[in-house]
Amino acid sequence: SSYGSRGANGVIVVTTKRGVPGKVSLVYDGYYGVQHASALPATVDAPTYMRMYNEASYNNNPTNALPFTQEQIDNTRNGMDPVANNGKAFANTNWLDMLIDDAAPITSSSLSLSGGSSIARFALTGNYTYQKGIIPLSNMKRFNIRANTTISLSDKFQVNLDLLAIKRDTQQPNRISATGNTGNRLLEDMYRVPPTIIPRFPEKDGRTFYGQYVDIVNPLAYAEVGGKRAAEFGQTSINLQPKWEMFRNFNLKGQFSFRLNSDVTRDTRENFNHFDYFTGNLLRTWALQRATTMARTTYYYAGLTADYTLDWGDHRLFALGGYSQEETNSGAWEVFSIMSGYAKLNYSYKDKYLLEGTIRTDGSSRFGPGNKFGVFPSVALGWNLHNENFLKESSLINNFKIRASYGKLGNDNIGLYRYQTLINNSSGVETTYGNPDITWESVNMLDLGLDVGLFKNNKLELTFDYYDKLTKDIILNPTLPLVGGFESDVPVNAGEVRNSGWELSMNYNDRLGQDINISFRPGLSYNKNEVRKLQGGDIITTTTISRVGGPINGIFGYRTNGLLQASDFDATGKPLIPVLPNSKPGDIRYLDIDGDKVIGLGDQGLIGNPVPELTYFANFRIAYKNFDLEALVQGTGKSDAVLYGMFAYPFDFSADGGVPTTYYADNYWTPQHTDARFPRLNIAPANNKVSSDFWFQNGSYLRVKYLQLGYSFQAPLVKKLGVNSIRAYFNAQNPFTFTSVKITDPESRGYQWTYGLVKLYTIGLSIKF
């Protein structure tokens, strides 16, 4: 339906059969980079591990034989061959250095085509991204294509159509983490398998032999013969939005969206027999594996709105009404639907005084009969002071608006079928307890705001908001009396939580001379979370507590005062202060809060909050001629970052053991190092594992999220190449972090399972044809 010819500057001029001229432009964006796993803490070498393991074993039971002799430690330190001298020396393996890729590549390429005329406009974008993981066998490939089309069938009728297709392929070692954890278990293996284990023995009789460690062998074996998990995620969606201006200022708008997700996971492994290198005995067999799982999810949204605008003199009225429904269907039985009706009315007088009222009703399938629907109204006021006579001629103030709003919203994000008691479809036994009376959580929010624009063209803009958000009828799982027959959690609308605080942001743009442009956008926010009401009293787990007056899911445990010292015990080893049973010097010193001379439940309580109250960011950009430099920094104020897992309790063989980090090795308690950060070593550190503020770190940090330096090539050179513009850039993500947090990353936190944040360095190119 069209033909084209090349015009000036490489622009393709298109003329449709209807004779309406249009243009087409082509844009290429691409980058290549590497990732650096800077957040992973280093572990100790084999001789240090052996010495510390001996110490941890002795502290647990001085009468037991030590795991390593001094001769073995010395031979290992001196580099004696562990294969030729079996039992007299051990390997000195650094699993992180061996398996972590500190320069994992990432690349992305996008091609965009857009153009059209007043009759039809289109945009087509395709992208390919490849990202190699930092652990072996891990990578991601993503292909996506998006097409947007706008067609004007007449002056009154317009149709927008958006099509999207995504194919994402991922691969990782067939060592999958447990439910609820992030990362891959191969990462944990690097912190669990001792450095004394030989990764791979020399081949013998055509066989490959791997060093063995309890039930997990070693991470190199998993990387080479443990198999892989490959997953393919496919998504297609269509979004259709017609708009019809039935008559002047009256519009009908429709929307229909449909999305289909189809995913498949394939676990594969070849049969492999593990033999003892020295005896030839069969130790274990990793069986052949060919396993697949498939998942399918569909989602649709359908809605219709009508709006009308009326202007008469100094008055302006805007009214809108609408209806929508949506449904998500995934898995075998997981169906969720919601339907909504809503209306909004805006009124303004001389663009000075503003009034808005809205009301909506929502019905959710997540609630039972009689409780599905909720009604949620809101009202907002505004005053544009800059349009008043006393400010209208001001050369300083271009914008000055005061805002106030109060409204109510609903939340049904509680999971599926919580109002029903579910049974096992084979045995008929109840598996969960439902509550048919649960209903919407309601969010009541007050907001007071101020918008200020100063100087010409609003060179300096300030925005301030104070908010007070009270969430009522929060669905929780309080402890219910066993006499009622409740053996499991039952959801109840049981709580109220208040979030109150403020947000302040600034936007400054200026031009210095002819060549320099600068912009500065900082922001600061403060939020306090407080439980206002809980039916049934405190909700406590082993590590969290929700209590009236404190934050929701605050940290539960003991308060502490450093470590126990020899002076806290008499000459016979009897404690002079309250301690947990079997405590010794070097263990954590817990405080007797209730004064009963016993460390127990009465001394536990709310001890911390893992969520920071203060957050901030700042974006800065400066452009000088063809160069531009942009940076984004972000950070948080104080919060309680908890250290746990193998990073906190290495050698804990009551669990999975672990290898100490180098930071831990330099900072644990001994009789010669009593002013230590960590307790004494112990292979069964039960007393030191209970939740307490001893393991807190100040979670505040300041991080440079990215730095980007760009250069736009000069127009004469670009024109000679037949393109419109070329820009090259260098980008560094997460290059610098300032924090007192040790071992873990202050933003992602976590423990030995956690695939932490990486530093990413890329170079890129953008070409517009």
Side-chain angles (χ1 to χ4, degrees), residues 251-320:
N251 301 300
L252 279 179
K253 298 177 182 178
Q255 182 177 355
F256 176 78
S257 301
F258 181 80
R259 183 177 71 239
L260 171 65
N261 291 78
S262 182
D263 309 327
V264 61
T265 300
R266 302 180 180 93
D267 294 336
T268 60
R269 182 176 59 218
E270 304 304 322
N271 186 84
F272 188 85
N273 293 315
H274 289 271
F275 293 94
D276 184 279
Y277 179 80
F278 298 101
T279 67
N281 294 333
L282 178 65
L283 301 175
R284 73 188 80 225
T285 296
W286 283 350
L288 179 76
Q289 185 179 23
R290 296 290 188 272
T292 62
T293 57
M294 300 190 70
R296 181 177 178 273
T297 301
T298 62
Y299 167 83
Y300 83 85
Y301 172 93
L304 179 67
T305 63
D307 66 76
Y308 179 69
T309 303
L310 177 63
D311 290 292
W312 77 102
D314 296 328
H315 306 273
R316 181 181 179 87
L317 187 69
F318 174 80
L320 178 144

Side-chain angles (χ1 to χ4, degrees), residues 272-496:
F272 188 85
N273 293 315
H274 289 271
F275 293 94
D276 184 279
Y277 179 80
F278 298 101
T279 67
N281 294 333
L282 178 65
L283 301 175
R284 73 188 80 225
T285 296
W286 283 350
L288 179 76
Q289 185 179 23
R290 296 290 188 272
T292 62
T293 57
M294 300 190 70
R296 181 177 178 273
T297 301
T298 62
Y299 167 83
Y300 83 85
Y301 172 93
L304 179 67
T305 63
D307 66 76
Y308 179 69
T309 303
L310 177 63
D311 290 292
W312 77 102
D314 296 328
H315 306 273
R316 181 181 179 87
L317 187 69
F318 174 80
L320 178 144
Y323 169 83
S324 67
Q325 62 184 51
E326 53 190 299
E327 181 178 278
T328 301
N329 192 327
S330 61
W333 300 100
E334 298 176 0
V335 181
F336 162 61
S337 59
I338 188 169
M339 61 173 57
S340 305
Y342 45 89
K344 179 168 69 172
L345 186 68
N346 289 81
Y347 169 76
S348 67
Y349 175 69
K350 290 186 176 181
D351 199 26
K352 295 180 184 179
Y353 314 113
L354 314 174
L355 172 65
E356 178 180 289
T358 64
I359 187 168
R360 64 180 297 132
T361 180
D362 298 294
S364 173
S365 65
R366 289 177 172 172
F367 304 114
N371 296 302
K372 292 185 180 297
F373 287 89
V375 179
F376 310 104
S378 65
V379 63
L381 300 171
W383 183 14
N384 285 324
L385 277 80
H386 59 275
N387 288 331
E388 297 287 359
N389 291 332
F390 57 86
L391 285 179
K392 211 164 189 178
E393 303 302 324
S394 173
S395 60
L396 173 65
I397 299 176
N398 288 319
N399 180 47
F400 197 145
K401 183 177 182 179
I402 298 176
R403 299 175 280 103
S405 64
Y406 182 80
K408 183 178 181 180
L409 292 174
N411 176 39
D412 67 338
N413 190 20
I414 62 167
L416 300 179
Y417 311 121
R418 300 295 303 277
Y419 71 93
Q420 293 176 302
T421 296
L422 305 182
I423 64 172
N424 184 296
N425 60 3
S426 298
S427 65
V429 176
E430 294 178 341
T431 56
T432 63
Y433 294 98
N435 178 3
D437 294 325
I438 57 174
T439 188
W440 287 84
E441 299 178 353
S442 63
V443 181
N444 302 268
M445 185 165 180
L446 170 70
D447 186 275
L448 303 175
L450 182 69
D451 301 317
V452 179
L454 304 177
F455 308 113
K456 185 179 179 180
N457 297 323
N458 289 325
K459 181 186 297 185
L460 177 62
E461 295 177 305
L462 297 170
T463 300
F464 176 81
D465 282 273
Y466 167 80
Y467 62 88
D468 189 345
K469 183 170 71 173
L470 180 64
T471 305
K472 296 183 177 181
D473 299 321
I474 295 177
I475 297 176
L476 300 170
N477 298 292
T479 303
L480 299 177
L482 295 178
V483 69
F486 298 107
E487 300 177 1
S488 183
D489 293 337
V490 179
V492 178
N493 291 101
E496 292 184 3

Side-chain angles (χ1 to χ4, degrees), residues 674-738:
T674 57
D675 185 21
R677 171 64 182 92
F678 299 110
R680 68 187 180 120
L681 299 175
N682 198 325
I683 61 172
N687 285 353
N688 296 326
K689 289 175 61 177
V690 295
S691 179
S692 74
D693 62 5
F694 180 86
W695 298 107
F696 287 2
Q697 299 184 80
N698 183 352
S700 63
Y701 70 91
L702 169 64
R703 166 165 282 155
V704 179
K705 289 299 292 183
Y706 72 80
L707 280 170
Q708 180 168 287
L709 176 64
Y711 180 79
S712 299
F713 289 87
Q714 295 181 356
L717 173 63
V718 172
K719 298 304 181 183
K720 289 181 180 179
L721 298 176
V723 297
N724 287 336
S725 66
I726 300 177
R727 180 177 180 271
Y729 62 87
F730 171 77
N731 185 291
Q733 295 183 27
N734 306 315
F736 306 111
T737 302
F738 305 94

Side-chain angles (χ1 to χ4, degrees), residues 177-192:
S177 59
T179 301
N181 292 299
T182 59
N184 186 282
R185 194 162 186 178
L186 190 71
L187 190 58
E188 184 197 41
D189 293 343
M190 298 180 202
Y191 288 99
R192 183 182 176 191

Side-chain angles (χ1 to χ4, degrees), residues 22 63 75 92 96 134 193 226 236 267 292 308 348 359 407 424 462 520 573 655 660 728 767:
T63 64
N75 289 342
N92 191 0
L96 293 172
I134 61 173
V193 177
T236 57
D267 294 336
T292 62
Y308 179 69
S348 67
I359 187 168
N424 184 296
L462 297 170
F520 182 52
I767 306 175

Side-chain angles (χ1 to χ4, degrees), residues 99 135-137 173 186 210 218-227 286:
L99 298 171
I135 63 177
L137 301 180
L186 190 71
Y210 290 96
N218 76 64
L220 181 64
Y222 269 101
E224 293 186 344
V225 296
W286 283 350

Side-chain angles (χ1 to χ4, degrees), residues 11-14 22-28 111-117 120-126 146-149 724 768-769:
V11 175
I12 301 173
V13 179
V14 176
K23 290 185 178 181
V24 174
S25 62
L26 186 67
V27 178
Y28 168 80
L111 197 62
S112 302
L113 186 67
S114 62
S117 65
R121 296 163 299 282
F122 73 93
L124 181 65
T125 302
R146 184 167 207 150
N148 303 89
T149 303
N724 287 336
K768 295 182 180 180
F769 295 89

